Amino acid sequence: MFDHDRDRHEDDRVISEELKVRAQALRAAGKTPKQIARELGVTRAVVTPLVRGVAVERPNRVRPSDLPLVGCWISRQWSNGLTITDRPADWVDDRKLRRMAVGAGLVSVVVARADGDSASVCGFLVDTYCLGVKNAVPPAASTFDDLPYFLEDFFAAYDSAMIEAPIELARHLVFGAVDYARELGFDPHRDFYSAAPHLGTWEPPSRITFGLDGKPYFQQGPYDNPDRIMRTLDKSVGPGNYHFTAVTLGG
């Protein structure tokens, strides 16, 4: 009984913190408390204390998406297990997709834009099979000379070089995965809201059908709470309607 109570309180803390982060990000983007409440599905009374004191972005400030695009890069095998409708010719990937190869279901995306004499760089780690954006790197300044080193570090976990990709693909991949994960009951990592403006305006739906062959597949990572995630999937799609690979830790 006590374990269930602890899990419930943990879930409540996570939900409360995610709500606060999302509310503050929307406020910083210029949304009114009323608009934020509508978007988050809560009352204005809930939103107001969460956003009190948050600076609002001024309308005349240059939007990140208006900055010149330096480049966009995506890890290989990004399309593994996914279905793409009317696939554009420049949405390229490895010619041979090896099922569950490195990069399948867990995709890295980097976007760099020119901001004066430096580059503004951000990144996303996207679980295309279940959880959406699991991690993100907020925009940070980098010299153009240092950008290759940033890319090398960001994609170091993969066994092949990243692919230069159109920004439209990044939008459909990142925003589409977030929309899919939210349908399953999962919100993106808090830093997603800081990095997302670099992608530009999102106009759903995505051309991409997410999930492994269209079905949620949870692959446990080192920082995931498998019990909480599978409880959420049980509620959203029902037991037996998703796949999972969980790690058993030894005593």
Side-chain angles (χ1 to χ4, degrees), residues 51-79:
V51 300
R52 187 174 290 121
V54 176
V56 179
E57 181 177 311
R58 289 173 291 183
N60 61 348
R61 184 177 177 182
V62 176
R63 294 178 300 177
S65 59
D66 290 336
L67 297 172
L69 183 67
V70 174
C72 174
W73 299 267
I74 297 177
S75 53
R76 294 176 184 270
Q77 298 286 320
W78 64 265
S79 63

Side-chain angles (χ1 to χ4, degrees), residues 17-34:
E17 185 62 25
E18 289 294 342
L19 185 66
K20 179 179 179 180
V21 171
R22 292 177 63 189
Q24 291 185 350
L26 290 168
R27 182 59 174 156
K31 298 282 188 180
T32 67
K34 184 177 180 180

Side-chain angles (χ1 to χ4, degrees), residues 29 57 61-73 109-116 118-124 136-142 144 147 150 165-172 174-175 191-202:
E57 181 177 311
R61 184 177 177 182
V62 176
R63 294 178 300 177
S65 59
D66 290 336
L67 297 172
L69 183 67
V70 174
C72 174
W73 299 267
V109 180
V110 169
V111 177
R113 292 186 179 273
D115 190 3
S118 62
S120 180
V121 189
C122 62
F124 308 85
V137 175
S142 168
F144 292 108
L147 182 56
F150 177 94
I167 191 67
E168 183 186 16
L169 170 55
R171 273 196 293 269
H172 279 257
V174 176
F175 285 122
D191 289 332
F192 161 77
Y193 300 101
S194 299
H198 272 53
L199 292 169
T201 303
W202 173 231

Side-chain angles (χ1 to χ4, degrees), residues 122-183:
C122 62
F124 308 85
L125 179 63
V126 187
D127 179 351
T128 58
Y129 292 165
C130 184
L131 300 178
V133 173
K134 294 191 67 173
N135 206 344
V137 175
S142 168
T143 67
F144 292 108
D145 288 340
D146 285 342
L147 182 56
Y149 301 107
F150 177 94
L151 294 172
E152 182 179 350
D153 289 342
F154 200 86
F155 292 96
Y158 300 92
D159 57 11
S160 55
M162 70 279 181
I163 302 169
E164 190 159 5
I167 191 67
E168 183 186 16
L169 170 55
R171 273 196 293 269
H172 279 257
L173 193 60
V174 176
F175 285 122
V178 168
D179 289 347
Y180 176 72
R182 280 180 173 152
E183 291 176 358

